[in-house]
Structure formats: C-alpha cells, structure tokens
C-alpha cells in the first residue's frame, strides 16, 4: 500500500498503489472526488506514470448500481458513438480468418459483435452479470457469456479477444488482462480500444479547469457515479500492455481525438470539442493530442 493521502473533500487512507504501474499515489488529482450510493471515492495521481485512479474501489453493491440496466450502456454506448467500433471491426476483419473464434470481453450491448457480423465474422461476447449477458445476447443475436462464471473460459482458447471501453472500468486491470491473455491462443490477437483521459486534449484540459473551478466553490464532492476507475495517457497505456505477462507484438497503435464528452453537448462545449479535433489534426502541433486509442497485439509463443 502507498503512503497516506487525503483531499479536501474526503479522507481516504491509506491509498492503494497505481493499478497500471504499481507506483505510489502522489496526491489528489482531477476529478478529485465523487460521491455515489452513500460512499465517497477519491481520485489520485500516480507518482510514476501519467495515470489517475480511484480509491477505494467500489464495492460489488455499488458496481451493481453504477451499471444498472438502462443507466449505463443504453445512455453512453448507443447512437453514433458506435462509429469507433465499426472502424475497429473493419480493420480487424482484414486480419482474421473467416472461421476465427472471436470473443468480445465486456461486450456491452453487443455493438462490436454486430459490426463483425456485418463483415461476415461470427463472435461471442461476455458481460459481467447474467442479466447483462442475457440483454446483450438478445440485442446482438449472439452467444454472450456471464463473465462471473467459467463457461467463457471453457469455450476457449480464442483466436481473438477484443476489449472495447473496458479497461478503464477494471479495478485491477493487470490481473484481469493477464487472465484474459491466458484464454488467447498462441498467435492470437488482442484488440483493445478506449479513452485516454489523461492525454493531451483541449477537451480534457477544459474539463480539468472547469472541475477545479467547481471544486473551489464547494467542499462537498459531486454526486456522480464513478464510471471510470482509471484515467490514463497514451504513453502509460502502451507501457501497461508492454508489462503484461504474455509476450505481445504490437501490430498497430492509433490515437485520435473525438471531442467526447463535449461534442454535441451545448454550444460552448461543442466549440471546445471541435477546436480539440482541429488541433489534433495539425501537423507537428497536434502530435500526441488525442482522447482515444485503438491497438492490436499478437500473442507470441
């Protein structure tokens, strides 16, 4: 465990070490704190890498409320936000054999599975409860396993495992990813994508500034579900994959800016989002800017 820290809204002591690199907590970090379901959660900066993370980890009771049906996937992962998954499916389909066994770990509503199906590739999925798995299966018309049981592992090994917007929700991502890689066939592909919320981005810079201003006006943490347990950068995310137990070869790494969550979210926020997208596309100036990554790795051995 790390040394003791606290912030102005909530005392959380002792603070766990960084779940990405094991570094000690350096102190409170944006978004500082959150209160949900009668519990307080703090966000802390790692002293070693660019990662910010939540402490304490939400209990199973709180997790169940955070991801209640209709309150998460239906709100955040429907509509035109699925374009990233369609692009990933297009790129991945070009590298997969027609009969490849693909597993979408944390498949949500099954959008990625549906995108692969449109390209002639069948896939199975997994969700973190029996109810969520049943809902996803009904929506995408594919087999979806309850990840709390062993069935998805018994059905392996898999030729490709995809994680779309999953890693930032994991309490201990290193342990989980190593377990997932154990179900990946030698030579199999690990496909991953998600947010880079500690990366250079005008949107996240503005969010941090506005969040700091709000924090100065009140001592009470905002009432908001702690959806993301981890906020990280492109550099820290790539280093995380490099530290995993299984030997991985990076086939591609892409980063881009989407303007989320400011895009189409009011005139001022949308203007910031559009400016962030424009800056990320500028030669030289935009290098390193972006709020989302897409990566593909091959497991060796």
């Amino acid at each position: 465990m790390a040394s003791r820290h606290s912030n102005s809204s909530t005392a959380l002591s002792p603070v766990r070490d960084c779940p990405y690199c094991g570094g000690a907590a350096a102190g409170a970090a944006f978004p500082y704190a959150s209160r949900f379901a009668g519990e307080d959660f703090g966000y802390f900066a790692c002293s070693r890498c660019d990662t910010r993370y939540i402490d304490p980890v939400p209990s199973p009771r709180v997790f169940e409320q955070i991801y209640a049906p209709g309150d998460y996937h239906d709100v955040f992962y429907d509509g035109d936000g699925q374009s990233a998954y369609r692009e990933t499916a297009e790129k991945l389909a070009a590298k997969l054999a027609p009969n490849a066994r693909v597993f979408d770990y944390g498949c949500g509503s099954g959008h990625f599975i549906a995108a692969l199906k449109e390209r002639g590739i069948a896939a199975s999925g997994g969700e973190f409860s029996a109810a969520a798995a049943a809902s996803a299966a009904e929506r995408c018309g594919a087999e979806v396993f309850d990840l709390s049981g062993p069935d998805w592992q018994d059905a392996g090994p898999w030729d490709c495992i995809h994680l779309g917007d999953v890693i930032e929700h994991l309490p201990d991502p290193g342990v989980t990813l190593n377990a997932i890689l154990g179900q990946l066939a030698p030579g199999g592909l690990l496909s991953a994508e998600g947010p880079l919320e500690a990366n250079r981005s005008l949107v996240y810079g503005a969010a941090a500034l506005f969040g700091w201003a709000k924090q100065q006006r009140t001592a009470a943490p905002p009432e908001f579900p702690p959806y993301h347990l981890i906020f990280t950068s492109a550099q820290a995310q790539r280093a995380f994959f490099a530290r995993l137990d299984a030997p991985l070869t990076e086939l591609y790494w892409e980063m881009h800016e989407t303007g989320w969550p400011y895009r189409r979210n009011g005139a001022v926020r949308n203007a910031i989002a559009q400016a962030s997208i424009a800056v990320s596309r500028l030669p030289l100036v935009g290098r390193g800017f972006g709020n989302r990554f897409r990566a593909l790795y091959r497991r060796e051995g």
Side-chain angles (χ1 to χ4, degrees):
M1 300 293 288
S3 57
R4 295 175 179 267
H5 294 278
S6 65
N7 61 32
S8 60
S9 302
T10 180
L12 301 170
S13 179
V15 177
R16 64 177 178 143
D17 292 336
C18 173
Y20 256 37
C21 74
F30 177 79
Y32 306 111
S34 170
R35 178 171 292 159
F36 180 71
E39 297 185 20
D40 289 345
F41 305 94
Y43 293 85
F44 296 87
C46 175
S47 61
R48 185 184 298 168
C49 72
D50 299 325
T51 300
R52 304 159 192 168
Y53 58 96
I54 197 171
D55 188 81
V57 173
S59 66
R61 176 188 70 85
V62 174
F63 267 126
E64 186 175 353
Q65 294 184 57
I66 292 173
Y67 302 115
D71 291 342
Y72 185 70
H73 292 297
D74 291 347
V75 175
F76 294 105
Y77 290 101
D78 281 338
D80 62 0
Q82 297 310 310
S83 60
Y85 288 170
R86 291 192 290 271
E87 292 174 15
T88 301
E90 185 72 32
K91 293 176 70 70
L92 193 57
K95 295 184 177 294
L96 292 173
N99 61 344
R101 305 188 69 244
V102 181
F103 188 78
D104 189 15
Y105 187 95
C107 64
S109 300
H111 291 289
F112 183 74
I113 293 174
L116 281 178
K117 187 176 181 180
E118 291 172 359
R119 289 154 180 82
I121 297 176
S124 300
E127 258 301 322
F128 296 93
S129 70
S135 176
E138 182 179 357
R139 291 188 178 207
C140 66
E143 184 176 30
V144 178
F145 296 91
D146 177 2
L147 293 173
S148 64
D151 290 351
W152 78 277
Q153 297 170 318
D154 295 340
W158 304 90
D159 299 312
C160 176
I161 297 178
H162 172 258
L163 296 97
D165 295 273
V166 170
I167 300 175
E168 66 275 13
H169 300 282
L170 300 175
D172 198 336
V175 170
T176 302
L177 264 291
N178 283 326
I180 289 172
L181 288 172
Q183 305 304 317
L184 187 61
L189 301 178
L190 174 67
S191 171
E193 58 189 307
L196 297 170
E197 295 174 277
N199 212 49
R200 288 192 290 173
S201 166
L202 293 184
V203 167
Y204 292 149
L209 178 61
F210 297 156
W212 176 85
K214 290 180 181 179
Q215 185 77 4
Q216 306 314 301
R217 297 197 299 266
T218 177
E223 297 275 348
F224 188 79
Y227 294 120
H228 291 185
L229 309 186
I230 296 167
F231 298 70
T232 197
S233 68
Q235 181 178 1
Q237 185 66 68
R238 291 182 88 172
F240 167 78
F241 285 121
R243 281 191 296 267
L244 294 174
D245 292 345
L248 298 173
T249 296
E250 184 179 291
L251 301 182
Y252 63 70
W253 172 277
E254 300 173 353
M255 182 173 61
H256 58 282
E257 173 69 48
T258 66
W260 183 89
Y262 279 9
R263 191 179 180 194
R264 301 175 186 170
N265 190 13
V268 174
R269 290 181 176 180
N270 188 62
I272 295 173
Q274 296 302 328
S276 191
I277 293 171
V279 168
S280 71
R281 293 173 177 172
L282 292 174
L284 299 180
V285 176
R287 187 175 182 180
F289 275 77
N291 69 339
R292 189 171 181 85
F293 80 93
R294 179 186 293 118
L296 184 65
Y297 294 86
R298 181 177 62 241
R299 178 181 176 177
E300 306 296 349

